[in-house]
Structures are given as structure tokens and as C-alpha cells.
Amino acid sequence: MNRRAEPEIMNGYKQVKAYAKADFNGPNQMFVDLFGENFPLFSSGRVLDLGCGPADIPLRFAGRYEQCRVVAMDGAERMLEFGRRNIAAQGMVERVKLVHGVLPHCELPENHFSAIISNSLLHHLLDPLALWQAISYCGKKDAAVLVMDLFRPSSETAARRIVEKYAAGEPEILREDFYNSLLAAYTEAEVRAQLDRIGLSNLQVRQVSDRHFAVVGLL
Ligand SMILES: C[S@@+](CC[C@H](N)C(=O)[O-])C[C@H]1O[C@@H](n2cnc3c(N)ncnc32)[C@H](O)[C@@H]1O
């Protein structure tokens, strides 16, 4: 099935509210656990989350790694507004900082972060190289990288099946977003080609669930 792009920035009020209220405990905890499994020696430093949404993953990350400070970036002011509230509610204002920014325009510091993480951003990007360029630019040498996203199923029917399996009871706006995201997602082979093109061939791509792949490695 060919890729069908979806809008990049998620800034519609209803869309953002439904996303921020949804239960992403399963995939978001899997993300933080995957980081722990792949980088068992990592414990401190500056972490960058690209496309942070309502900041659930940065908060989980800051909770697990108490000596880390997280900079969390997103292009949607509305998402950041929900993120701001979540961060304040968890008393993490000192350790999780939000930044507004739209890739490929990256005003983040060069060669600065010890870890760069990103969940479910890549499939939004019309130019996927923007994510890999930002990672190369902002990460220190040997920075830990974990990027997770959906991979594109073989057909629209397969995509509908995944939505039914994982979002049966969710509001329609969220189910439609999920479906559109599956159609906009990149395949593992496409991601491999992106990494090779940008000179990040050392990063590994592997399937980590029936709908997710992860890119893992050191810069
Ligand atoms: C599906 S959400 C994922 C949010 C969060 N990482 C999570 O796992 O819950 C994708 C996020 O990427 C943001 N985004 C999309 N395109 C972007 C771009 N070009 N630059 C910055 N953020 C972008 C959207 O606004 C949205 O908040």
C-alpha cells in the first residue's frame, strides 16, 4: 500500500483534547522500557524528546531517570498547553522544559544532548529526513537514540483491523487519527533507507510490536 500523508502539526482543539486524554500507557511505557533495555548504563544527562505531544513520555522518562533533565519539543502550541499542565501536576517543572519548534527548523543547540528520543513523530513528517537531521545535529557523540513509530500495514483492511484491535472503545476522532497515522507511517525498509541516506547507518531498525518499529543505537 502506498503511503498517504497526514497533516504534520496536531493543533485542532478536539483532536488534541482527545489525544491528551487517551490512554497510551501501553506503548508509552513500552517506549521507556525499551530505552532501559537498550541503554542499561544510561542514568544522567540532557535528554531531548522530539514531537513530545502532551509530554507523557518526557514525564515517564524524568520519573525513571532522576538525574536527567528533559527538553521536550513540539510544533503544536495546544499540545504544549496540555503538556504544561501535566508537568505542573506532577511537580516536574524544574526537570521537564517545553519548547515550541517545527522541524525542519531546528533552533535547538548543536551537539548538546546525551539522549534523543521520539515517539510517533516520524509518520507525520513530509520530509522524514528532518527528524534524522535534527537528531544528528543536536546529539552529542555517542548519544543514545530511540525513535519508535507505527509501521505502515500492507492494506487499508489491515489498518482497520489494527484500529479495531487497539482502539475499539475510543472516540471516533481518535480512531480516525489512528487510522490516518497507520496509512501515513513509513515501512521499516523506508526507514532503513532514510538512515543510510543521512549517514546514520549504524542505527538499527527492528520491529518491536505488531504495529511498531524502533530505531536504536548510539550516534
Ligand atoms: C502522534 S503525536 C505523538 C506525541 C508524543 N510523542 C506521544 O508519544 O504521545 C505527534 C506529535 O508530533 C508533532 N509534530 C508533527 N509534526 C511536527 C513537526 N514538523 N515539528 C514538530 N512537531 C511536530 C505533533 O504536533 C504531535 O504533537
Side-chain angles (χ1 to χ4, degrees), residues 8-10 19 51-52 74-75 79 101 103 119-121 124-125:
E8 290 204 350
I9 305 300
M10 292 174 69
Y19 191 88
C52 63
D74 202 282
M79 277 290 184
L103 294 178
N119 182 49
S120 276
L121 166 63
H124 282 275
L125 300 178

Side-chain angles (χ1 to χ4, degrees), residues 53-85:
D56 185 64
I57 287 181
L59 282 166
R60 286 173 195 261
F61 213 88
R64 175 155 176 171
Y65 297 102
E66 290 182 357
Q67 293 176 55
C68 278
R69 284 175 180 267
V70 185
V71 172
M73 188 263 242
D74 202 282
E77 286 288 6
R78 280 219 170 93
M79 277 290 184
L80 293 174
E81 193 45 51
F82 278 92
R84 224 163 268 132
R85 280 184 230 160

Side-chain angles (χ1 to χ4, degrees), residues 29-30 46 52-53 150 175 207:
Q29 193 54 42
M30 176 170 89
R46 290 185 291 249
C52 63
L150 301 164
R175 287 161 53 80
Q207 190 175 333

